[in-house]
Amino acid sequence: MDPDEMRARERAADPLYDQRAEMPSHEFDGVHRFVGEPRRSPAPRPSVLAYFDSLLTLAAFADRIDEVIAGMAAAVADTSTLPVTIRQVAWSTAGSGEQRDWSPAAREALLAALRSGRPDVFTVNLGTRDDEKRWHFEAWREPFQPAAALSLSLSPVGELWEPDETDDAAERVAELLLAWQQPLDLCTGGVTYDRTGPHLSPWDAWYTMDHRTSATLTRQRVRGYYWWNLLTGGHLARLGGREAFRARAAAQGLAVLPAGPATVLRFPGPITAFADDRLAAVKEVLTPVLIPRRYTVYSGYPLRMIPDPGTAFRQVPPGDPYPRLTAGGGPLPAPED
């Protein structure tokens, strides 16, 4: 009897087979498998990305759309020589939606949709005339949780910023989130240099999560740990208060800065100098406000994440091409109160 048949018989006879602890002979590395697949393209260059959460209603957000567009346009103008202008807006409700080229009529249609409170997602795109390079603003709403935050993101499509523009772009995006903090009623925010896109932050992608989970917890939890992190009152309370938090961050060589009613935790240097040991320090400081979540498996291009000790990859028996997704995936962060 070959090992595969033996394993199949054991699985059939034992309903808990896939949950039993086993002595592994190797670990499953989803990133390595993804990158190593035949004909897989090389990993793309990272981009300056922002993920943040707003407590505004859609109707209130309608009154801020012009401010969002103006802020994005100013940020690009300050950091790039590309001739970028507002190109498109789109919105969707229950899978049915509209996309329109920018015009006064498109603006009014988007405002009317937002004021109705119905869209589940809406987007604004700034781009070059040929749309080869764009800056994508996206907002997702949890329709069954009216009190949940809007999950927002800013992500380039194409290489909006050249490599030598990256550090200035990251600082300018962080400034933009600070400028939006009170108008958009932001409760979290993060700026990173990574390979995800709109909607899902690197944390979301790594832990297989989206706004339906994170947006309901955003007043006390964050969507990852990054070069620049915006924290508000609920987060500071979980972190032991501003002064205790500041002391822990300083011990790790990180900066804590006042930002109106909010607080910023950041690496004090440029984003391109943000090494993995500094990323690990940010994770250490922010662990009490990370969403409790087990790592299961991530199969995609490498991300700027610090794997949980002993659970970076799923341990599997020899010969299994994939991990057993129902098996235990390691310790959880601090439980939800």
Side-chain angles (χ1 to χ4, degrees):
M1 183 181 301
D2 63 34
D4 288 340
E5 185 178 353
M6 175 67 75
R7 193 178 299 112
R9 290 193 178 193
E10 289 176 350
R11 179 177 284 109
D14 181 1
L16 299 179
Y17 179 85
D18 288 321
Q19 299 179 42
R20 287 191 295 109
E22 298 198 26
M23 291 298 292
S25 61
H26 71 281
E27 293 183 338
F28 175 81
D29 181 342
V31 178
H32 177 79
R33 181 182 179 89
F34 177 87
V35 173
E37 288 178 354
R39 298 179 297 279
R40 178 67 61 185
S41 300
R45 182 164 68 85
S47 301
V48 175
L49 304 163
Y51 301 91
F52 46 113
D53 297 88
S54 167
L55 298 177
L56 291 185
T57 64
L58 289 181
F61 214 101
D63 296 331
R64 300 288 185 262
I65 282 294
D66 292 338
E67 187 168 351
V68 167
I69 293 170
M72 292 174 66
V76 175
D78 289 344
T79 54
S80 172
T81 58
L82 290 175
V84 174
T85 59
I86 179 69
R87 302 289 297 171
Q88 289 180 331
V89 293
W91 58 95
S92 171
T93 303
S96 175
E98 295 190 46
Q99 177 174 301
R100 298 194 184 186
D101 291 337
W102 183 247
S103 67
R107 174 185 177 277
E108 292 305 315
L110 172 62
L111 295 182
L114 295 180
R115 286 170 179 150
S116 75
R118 298 182 60 233
D120 301 327
V121 57
F122 66 94
T123 65
V124 175
N125 274 297
L126 276 68
T128 55
R129 183 173 295 276
D130 58 6
D131 274 344
E132 181 181 359
K133 298 182 180 182
R134 303 191 300 277
W135 201 14
H136 186 79
F137 173 94
E138 185 165 293
W140 285 78
R141 179 181 71 99
E142 170 49 68
F144 301 109
Q145 296 279 353
L150 286 170
S151 293
L152 314 173
S153 62
L154 285 169
S155 57
V157 178
E159 295 184 354
L160 182 63
W161 290 290
E162 296 298 324
D164 62 355
E165 297 171 333
T166 297
D167 289 329
D168 287 344
E171 295 286 356
R172 189 62 179 83
V173 171
E175 290 176 8
L176 184 58
L177 294 197
L178 284 180
W180 284 348
Q181 179 200 334
Q182 295 190 54
L184 299 190
D185 197 6
L186 300 186
C187 55
T188 70
V191 179
T192 188
Y193 188 50
D194 216 327
R195 295 185 174 91
T196 43
H199 188 202
L200 297 181
S201 72
W203 169 273
D204 296 331
W206 187 258
Y207 287 99
T208 318
M209 184 164 44
D210 65 16
H211 67 287
R212 287 169 292 186
T213 298
S214 63
T216 63
L217 304 171
T218 194
R219 290 168 176 81
Q220 294 187 339
R221 301 286 183 172
V222 294
R223 296 164 65 189
Y225 43 92
Y226 306 113
W227 168 77
W228 187 96
N229 308 268
L230 180 72
L231 309 168
T232 50
H235 309 113
L236 290 177
R238 292 193 68 89
L239 290 163
R242 192 184 305 270
E243 293 310 313
F245 172 59
R246 187 190 303 275
R248 285 198 304 275
Q252 295 282 356
L254 304 172
V256 175
L257 308 173
T263 297
V264 168
L265 171 71
R266 63 163 292 170
F267 171 62
I271 200 169
T272 55
F274 186 46
D276 283 351
D277 66 325
R278 300 296 82 212
L279 179 65
V282 177
K283 179 182 180 183
E284 175 68 22
V285 172
L286 291 183
T287 290
V289 292
L290 296 176
I291 298 173
R293 191 79 168 186
R294 282 192 179 94
Y295 174 87
T296 301
V297 65
Y298 166 77
S299 293
Y301 287 118
L303 298 177
R304 293 297 308 281
M305 296 294 296
I306 302 298
D308 299 325
T311 63
F313 306 114
R314 297 300 303 281
Q315 296 180 330
V316 297
D320 279 14
Y322 287 101
R324 297 175 185 171
L325 301 184
T326 57
L332 283 167
E336 188 72 44
D337 291 341

